[in-house]
Amino acid sequence: MSTLANQLAATEREEVARAIRLLLARPLLTQAADPAGFELVRRRRGPLARWFDYTCGWTLVVEPRRGYARLTKVRANPDGSRPARRARSGRAPFDRRRYVLLCVAAAELLSMPMTTIGMLADRVVQATAADRALEGFDPVHRPERMAFVDVLKLLESYDVLRAVDGTTDTYVDSAEAKVLYRVDATLLMRLPAAPVGASRLATPPEEVPARFEELLTGLVRERRYGAGVDATADETPGEAATTDAQRNLRLRHSVLRRLFDDPVLYRDDLAEDELAYVTSLTGRQILRRTVEQAGFLLEERAEGFLIVDPDGIATDVRFPDDTSTARVAALLLLEPLCTAPAGMLPEQLAEAGAELLRRFPGWAKAYQSEEGAARLADDAVRTLLDIGLAHRTRGRVVARPAAYRYRLTGTVTPLPKRGPVSEKGPDGPHMTEGTTDARGTTASSGVTAEGTPQ
């Protein structure tokens, strides 16, 4: 092979690896948001689609003329750990009310190429009034308008809605605000990634709470794996038993989905057949080859596997990170957690939170209240749970093996009025360069159970 051919092949490998990591972090990639990234994905869409299909069983759709690429990521273990978040300061997760309004608004937008915020609100009012399972939407009340604005801004972030006149935020202050939108109904229909549509489950609303876990499993069940462990109550009578090829396909996809979608993959979290697959000669070869093709570095330990993106392209949440009080507290809490092999009780965590507030009295002002220490500990623990550094067991929070990779070598307490400081306040702890960032890829989960890409 000529030198030029070698260079072209190497360039393609590098570009495909970069594009894989781009899509893992942003499964809905639009030309408007990232022109260079979208052009890379458009140019290499063939090998990208083949890699995602073989490795994780995920479908990649690239629409060059419409300016978007959609990777439909199906979670191996769907849960609520990566919710849709509000665009306003604080990035609070969506609550039940916002998810309901999101679903109703999305359904109404399918038949509206152009709309105003008032017209859409009226359609949502009518739709919720006609469905006995839904609480009516009343835009007269400010909290309702705030929830509605959060939903619309989320859709704007996906380029499903584009404000051509006016600003969505003005609706919070007045239901008479004038905002004109252009709707991309085609892109809207690409948002859900669940293999089974929720309407196909045909479950009476009153039965949903009791059967939620079962229904959630039903939404992500893929019939291509046969009638094995994924079989549910809606299984087709007479469906053929799972073949060896289907079983191996399911094992490959389930293991690699978790590896490429989570911070760390622990052996203890794998089912017996999944662990046997990933430790087999074939499974190990596939794992190492696909990790290399995506441009990651693989760390294999006795406790599990971790892949690191040396360029940070696929990392959607960084840790350590001092951009929020909860993340700083999470890193500080790792020290007492790692010195307590049996874990810590809620009371012990609250006391640890109180100790942090005593050490840094000018920090975490939002938590300076009677119950503030407990709330600080809860928020910090939630951060650790979400990134796989801790888990709950028997009422305790226990550090997981990856947590021992982090070591706080010191904090810096800057003097007041010495330049800009973050929201933590002038006397808050700032992490020094001695902290160890061993974070692997934490690519966003595509579409959650609630049907929103992240």
Side-chain angles (χ1 to χ4, degrees):
M1 185 179 290
S2 67
T3 302
L4 177 60
N6 285 333
Q7 291 175 343
L8 292 175
T11 298
E12 179 178 355
R13 288 194 299 270
E14 292 173 1
E15 291 187 346
V16 168
R18 182 178 181 85
I20 287 171
R21 286 174 285 158
L22 278 173
L23 288 166
L24 285 173
R26 300 176 64 182
L28 177 57
L29 184 65
T30 64
Q31 188 175 24
D34 186 355
F38 176 77
E39 174 58 23
L40 177 61
V41 171
R42 183 202 64 78
R43 191 168 62 251
R44 299 301 184 186
R45 60 186 181 274
L48 285 172
R50 290 191 293 272
W51 187 91
F52 280 113
D53 178 65
Y54 176 84
T55 303
C56 302
W58 292 335
T59 302
L60 174 64
V61 175
V62 181
E63 294 285 356
R65 293 186 178 181
R66 304 194 70 90
Y68 70 84
R70 176 65 169 125
L71 177 65
T72 52
K73 297 171 64 179
V74 181
R75 289 273 289 168
N77 295 295
D79 57 34
S81 62
R82 297 175 186 175
R85 294 189 177 274
R86 310 173 200 183
R88 293 172 295 162
S89 61
R91 300 280 296 167
F94 268 33
D95 53 18
R96 180 184 180 88
R97 184 57 174 164
R98 284 166 172 79
Y99 281 122
V100 169
L101 293 178
L102 174 62
C103 294
V104 176
E108 297 300 324
L109 287 170
L110 285 173
S111 60
M112 304 170 69
M114 297 286 291
T115 186
T116 66
I117 196 167
M119 291 173 58
L120 180 59
D122 290 341
R123 294 278 292 265
V124 172
V125 168
Q126 295 171 16
T128 54
D131 192 327
R132 61 184 177 86
L134 300 179
E135 180 183 348
F137 174 59
D138 188 357
V140 171
H141 300 292
R142 182 183 175 88
E144 288 279 80
R145 296 199 303 273
M146 291 176 63
F148 193 55
V149 165
D150 288 336
V151 166
L152 298 185
K153 290 182 73 67
L154 181 70
L155 293 174
E156 284 185 274
S157 71
Y158 300 149
D159 280 341
V160 168
L161 283 181
R162 292 188 183 181
V164 296
D165 186 21
T167 305
T168 302
D169 287 305
T170 58
Y171 190 72
V172 173
D173 296 321
S174 173
E176 303 301 321
K178 306 297 182 184
V179 187
L180 177 64
Y181 297 106
R182 180 177 289 112
V183 184
D184 190 335
T186 303
L187 181 54
L188 177 61
M189 289 188 290
R190 291 287 186 190
L191 296 187
V196 180
S199 60
R200 293 178 58 187
L201 298 180
T203 304
E206 59 272 12
E207 296 182 15
V208 170
R211 300 178 54 192
F212 183 76
E213 295 298 329
E214 172 195 342
L215 295 173
L216 189 59
T217 301
L219 288 176
V220 297
R221 184 201 171 193
E222 299 174 78
R223 295 188 181 278
R224 60 178 163 178
Y225 301 140
V229 297
D230 291 303
T232 57
D234 68 338
E235 180 180 324
T236 303
E239 190 172 9
T242 303
T243 64
D244 289 342
Q246 289 174 318
R247 175 180 174 275
N248 289 332
L249 182 68
R250 178 186 63 79
L251 291 173
R252 181 172 77 234
H253 289 170
S254 64
V255 169
L256 294 180
R257 283 176 180 179
R258 296 172 68 172
L259 181 67
F260 286 106
D261 210 28
D262 290 324
V264 61
L265 178 61
Y266 293 104
R267 295 175 189 265
D268 290 345
D269 292 339
L270 295 174
E272 184 177 344
D273 56 352
E274 292 174 329
L275 182 59
Y277 175 84
V278 78
T279 54
S280 68
L281 178 61
T282 300
R284 290 168 68 90
Q285 289 177 340
I286 292 175
L287 184 149
R288 291 175 178 175
R289 183 176 69 249
T290 54
V291 167
E292 180 182 0
Q293 289 170 343
F296 291 106
L297 301 177
L298 175 66
E299 293 191 13
E300 185 174 353
R301 303 297 180 100
E303 300 86 3
F305 308 87
L306 180 144
I307 56 177
V308 178
D309 182 357
D311 301 316
I313 297 171
T315 303
D316 67 339
V317 177
R318 298 181 183 275
F319 185 83
D321 184 8
D322 65 355
T323 58
S324 76
T325 301
R327 292 183 188 177
V328 174
L331 182 61
L332 294 171
L333 275 184
L334 281 181
E335 183 178 1
L337 268 177
C338 290
T339 57
M344 298 177 68
L345 293 167
E347 296 80 7
Q348 295 173 309
L349 290 167
E351 177 54 35
E355 175 60 25
L356 293 179
L357 295 177
R358 285 192 292 268
R359 286 173 58 189
F360 306 103
W363 172 63
K365 293 182 179 179
Y367 297 92
Q368 299 287 350
S369 63
E370 183 177 350
E371 301 295 330
R375 289 192 296 107
L376 178 63
D378 287 343
D379 290 347
V381 166
R382 191 176 301 110
T383 297
L384 296 175
L385 295 175
D386 288 346
I387 59 179
L389 297 181
H391 68 117
R392 296 186 190 275
T393 177
R394 298 179 180 178
R396 294 175 177 264
V397 175
V398 182
R400 304 206 73 177
Y404 294 87
R405 297 170 59 92
Y406 297 86
R407 183 169 58 92
L408 182 63
T409 59
T411 60
V412 176
T413 304
L415 296 174
K417 299 181 181 180
R418 289 188 58 186
V421 294
S422 68
E423 61 157 341
K424 295 177 290 301
D427 300 319
H430 291 246
M431 302 303 110
T432 69
E433 293 182 357
T435 54
T436 302
D437 187 353
R439 184 88 166 105
T441 175
T442 58
S444 54
S445 61
V447 169
T448 65
E450 294 83 4
T452 57
Q454 300 177 39

